[in-house]
Amino acid sequence: MVAYLIIREGSKWTDVFRLVQGHTVTIGRAPTNQIVIKDDRCSRYHAEIFMSQGDWVIRDLDSRNGSLVNEDPIRGDYTLKAGDVAKIASMQLAFVHDLAAAFPDGTTSSEHIFKSSGDLDELATEGSSEHVLDIAEPTTITHRRGQTKFLKPEIDETIDPSGIPKVGHAATRLCQIAFELANQVDVTAVANLSLEGLFESTMVDAGAVLLLPRAFRGVATEKDLELIASRTDKLPTYHRISRFLANTVLREGEAVLARNVMDDSRFGSRDSKGDIHATSVVCAPIRQNGKTVGIIHLYSSDSNRIPGPDDLEFTLAVADNVALALKNLGRQQELTETLSQSQVEIVELRKRLGAESQIIGSSPLIYAVHEQIARAAPSRATILIAGESGVGKELVARAVHFSSPRKNAPFICINCAALSESLLESELFGHERGAFTGATERKIGKFEAAHEGTLMLDEIGELSAAIQAKFLRVLEGHPFERVGGNEPVQVDVRVIAATNRSLEREVEQERFRRDLYFRLRVVEITVPPLRKRPEDIVELASHFLQKFNSETGRKLLGFTQSALDHMKTYRWPGNVRELKNVIERAVLLTQSERIGIEDLALSNLATSGDTAEISAHISQQYEPLSLAEMERLHISATLEATSWNKSKAAAILGIERSTLDRKIRRYEIPVKTYIRK
């Protein structure tokens, strides 16, 4: 389905254009068209020719003066037939399928066209026979070159400068300047390079690049411009741009050329004595996104060197290239700053994930927790994490999140006990502007922020009844509404709840919804308190010692044996959190190479589970006793368990050594002697 357009302008055949299936040919005055008609009667995008259902069709693109085919105006699409002649402005386009059939005298098509008009040589000289060569000759590679000569700073001595138009020299130098500006790494280098190129290509001998501060806002004036770089070839020093000229260019955003300015103080650059040294001045704005951000100021002090309109054009072109180079530098700086900030955040995040989200311990109880995490993480099931305060429930939640398919999405944690009911509802579900006093704009809640990720609700037992009902609907997959809004919001969030209370007891006492309890308790992970896994104490203490050694720059070697024994027998009412704080304090305050028992600031508080454990023991084998007798039996049993090591027993009992001696005497507890191994 090959076809050709034989193009005729005026009385001469000028070209042959080959139509190729699948390619649309546009015709118009704009240089981006495939066929360009340089005639004011032709619209910028006048018509197009394309193949439709096996036929070639011409379509007028709502042009101003319309299109003709065989002298008849066309409306809409017109199917072309061999021999049709389309006319657009002064151009005629003959449509044929076979060039040989179009010229029956036996000459080749391209030869006939141009020999019949006698202008083949003329057309070849003008370089207009590109399409004819495509038809008459096979495609060949005629030249090879690794680097363009237009980007070489040196001048080719084999070329006669007199044979090259001035605009050609300017275009070549401008191309070199643009290429070199793109490779500069700072603003000063850009300014100096632009001045160097301008001094080589224009009739000036002094000048400067002045820029507004990067963060400048408002209406700029001459006093806001900062001198970035200046240069002078003849005068001792550069004289700053006049206020009138600078303000004119800043206000209008157009380049100006002023000649014979020796007697006009508005344009001339004065020295300290008030003398004007410039004879002619060129000033061009440096523009970014339609806003002037600086000025290139050039002037000549030699009456024999007077810049002209071409110099003004060249200066404006350089200024536009400087603007682009500065914009790229600004983007690079922003990217560098963002990258640097991101790297810092990544380092901090890795530290936090590595130090705070890592579950330390090798006891069977901790191993069981790891197994539960591994089984629960891949699913979408809601998880309830139970355990005393300070055991590391948030660490378990993080481990679940980062072991799940949602690990690349947000992990958001909120403490339900830290906020009032109204604030907690706003934090969870968000609010609309004007929902309450102080709600000046819409706020996205934690549920929306955690979309496709994980939301951990710590101290879930603190939720009020109203929020429990709304929370249950979200867990069931229903949309919710922001506070003060009526637009439904649908999210995909995995919920992990944590509590140090017995939710079963809360349900029995009707302080927690029964249906919400069972909805949360799809998977339950109980984190054991530190006193029930004493084999992890030394490992945790060593981990925290290494962490705080690194943070404080200290080089403590470890713990004394007495300190390790004391930590292993202490009941740790604050669990891992207390152990971490005790080690941090010891690292900061100890004056020895090793942390001793005297450096451990331990409390006398009972653990939250002591009462329940004692109650369970009493219920199993209850015998009515006085408090004094119970204390006597307890002290005696503790001494037996420690082989009558009074220091260790006193630490376990949470009393001083002297107090223990008094109680032994008061209760007449028989002293036993043990052989120390």
Side-chain angles (χ1 to χ4, degrees), residues 178-187 190 214 287-289 320-336:
F179 180 77
E180 293 168 358
L181 286 174
N183 292 316
Q184 302 310 304
V185 295
D186 59 69
V187 175
V190 168
R214 184 178 176 187
R287 300 167 296 196
Q288 291 180 357
N289 301 323
D320 287 341
N321 278 280
V322 168
L324 183 59
L326 294 177
K327 186 175 183 179
N328 291 335
L329 282 178
R331 288 177 177 173
Q332 290 177 11
Q333 184 175 350
E334 291 176 1
L335 289 173
T336 301

Side-chain angles (χ1 to χ4, degrees), residues 252-264:
E252 303 295 339
E254 294 181 343
V256 298
L257 166 65
R259 297 175 178 173
N260 303 319
V261 300
M262 290 291 292
D263 298 325
D264 194 334

Side-chain angles (χ1 to χ4, degrees), residues 228-243:
I228 305 302
S230 64
R231 175 175 169 174
T232 176
D233 287 350
K234 293 186 177 182
L235 297 175
T237 182
Y238 161 76
H239 299 295
R240 190 176 173 93
I241 187 173
S242 68
R243 181 180 303 173

Side-chain angles (χ1 to χ4, degrees), residues 57-62 74-78:
V57 176
I58 183 171
R59 173 185 295 166
D60 184 85
L61 300 176
D62 295 326
I74 61 173
R75 297 288 184 268
D77 294 352
Y78 180 89

Side-chain angles (χ1 to χ4, degrees), residues 612-666:
E613 292 172 3
I614 292 174
S615 299
H617 177 73
I618 291 175
S619 63
Q620 291 174 3
Q621 40 184 348
Y622 176 73
E623 181 181 350
L625 294 172
S626 66
L627 291 177
E629 181 62 18
M630 177 173 284
E631 185 178 38
R632 186 188 71 80
L633 291 174
H634 184 60
I635 292 174
S636 178
T638 304
L639 288 168
E640 288 283 349
T642 59
S643 301
W644 271 76
N645 185 327
K646 293 183 180 180
S647 297
K648 186 180 294 186
I652 294 174
L653 295 170
I655 59 178
E656 298 292 333
R657 168 71 181 269
S658 58
T659 303
L660 177 60
D661 288 333
R662 287 197 304 272
K663 291 182 181 291
I664 291 174
R665 291 193 297 270
R666 184 200 308 172

Side-chain angles (χ1 to χ4, degrees), residues 113-139:
I113 293 170
F114 295 109
K115 285 182 179 179
S116 63
S117 60
D119 59 354
L120 178 59
D121 294 335
E122 177 186 350
L123 188 59
T125 302
E126 294 176 355
S128 304
S129 57
E130 177 185 351
H131 299 297
V132 176
L133 293 176
D134 288 341
I135 299 170
E137 299 180 8
T139 301

